[in-house]
Amino acid sequence: MRLLDVRDLTLHFKVKEGWVHAVEDVNFTLESGETLGLVGESGCGKTTLGYGISQLLPDNAHVKAGQVIFKGEDILTPSLKKNGTLKPYRQEIRELRWKEISMIFQGAMNAFNPVQKVGDQIIEAIKVHSDVTRQEAVARVEELYKLIGIPKDRIDNYPHEYSGGMRQRAMIAMALVHNPSLIIADEPTTALDVIMQRRILSEIKKIQNEFHMTMIIITHDVSVVANVADKIAVMYAGRIMEYGNIKDVFKRTANPYTKALFGGFPSLKGEKKRIASIPGNPPSLVEPPTGCRFHPRCKFAKEICKTEKPPFITLPTGQQSLCHFANEVQQGGMA
Ligand SMILES: Nc1ncnc2c1ncn2[C@@H]1O[C@H](COP(=O)(O)OP(=O)(O)OP(=O)(O)O)[C@@H](O)[C@H]1O
Ligand SMILES: [Mg+2]
């Protein structure tokens, strides 16, 4: 079943200097049970896209175009005013957000209230949106702790008594309280050491398998994507540059930005590998470059790249690449 269909989504932020073009023309779909890895350098719009899907955009965000179709219904348009600014969230959207789509926030492990026991905070989240007794809520927390691998005698601890990894896992538990159909995990492992990252990834995989969970995992870490994702979307300066099944994108990369980011062809074996650092800086999103937004840093750039926005080219391998020369890049002809 198609769970999510993001169409032509364009999200801008109003700032003093004008508009930040944070997300432009984003398209992707997710079938129930699939995982999408969303990667790209800092500031390319990953979190904004996650917020757009989970209806958490701040007040200065404007939806310029597009739809977010979740379980067959456009969940974005009903929350818009005619001029494109966001209305206060409607109740059903709020419910949807908790029960159907939940987000594990970037840096979330520091989001617990330090003076309240972790278990009580999760119980509160359960009770706000469902009519259960405290006993039932406690039973749910115990079940979730078992799932994420924290001993249940830790439920009554305060956040500072948890390690960083435990806090992060408790946040994952929090996101799971209402069995959402879609989880958006924004950098769930970034702040952790390698051993803890592995543990959390294996918990995430376990949860995916047990609950047939659909996920968007936002990360800087290529090995995370290789380990858990079915599909990948590579973002640059607000646009998706390459999108497709993980094997196709990893093995037959068809976009210069993906190549630069992964340092050539990445390995699917999943050894830890941060994204490569690419010479130059990402552009200002207030005045993004004309043509292809990557052209000032692209070693394959030609004249046309400076002036004309590239089309999304569907490669014979099935993935899509936003590049005038996608076929040549895939065949290695321009290297
Ligand atoms: N509320 C806001 N108002 C104005 N600009 C914003 C706002 N939130 C984000 N931005 C800008 O939008 C762009 C995309 O930001 P976003 O946080 O989505 O990037 P990201 O890919 O998640 O980065 P990171 O990897 O560092 O988390 C950036 O240029 C950022 O400065
Ligand atoms: Mg972010």
Side-chain angles (χ1 to χ4, degrees), residues 135-203:
Q135 224 175 358
E136 286 165 326
V138 170
R140 176 79 181 129
V141 177
E142 287 180 0
E143 187 182 51
L144 288 166
Y145 267 49
K146 190 163 173 223
L147 188 71
I148 54 160
I150 303 183
K152 69 177 183 190
D153 60 5
R154 296 296 212 124
I155 290 174
D156 280 337
N157 284 175
Y158 288 92
H160 71 266
E161 296 174 283
Y162 278 23
S163 68
M166 282 169 77
R167 282 202 297 270
Q168 187 63 345
R169 273 183 283 160
M171 267 297 162
I172 295 174
M174 184 92 118
L176 290 170
V177 289
H178 294 293
N179 268 328
S181 316
L182 174 67
I183 289 208
I184 302 174
D186 196 353
E187 307 269 13
T189 62
T190 303
L192 306 168
D193 64 55
V194 178
I195 294 166
M196 197 43 80
Q197 287 187 357
R198 284 220 188 100
R199 280 203 64 178
I200 296 212
L201 274 188
S202 80
E203 306 300 348

Side-chain angles (χ1 to χ4, degrees), residues 13 15 20 22 41-48 58 60 106 220 285:
F13 292 110
V15 291
V20 180
E41 285 166 292
S42 188
C44 68
K46 304 180 295 296
T47 297
T48 306
N60 67 332
Q106 192 165 11
H220 283 94
L285 293 183

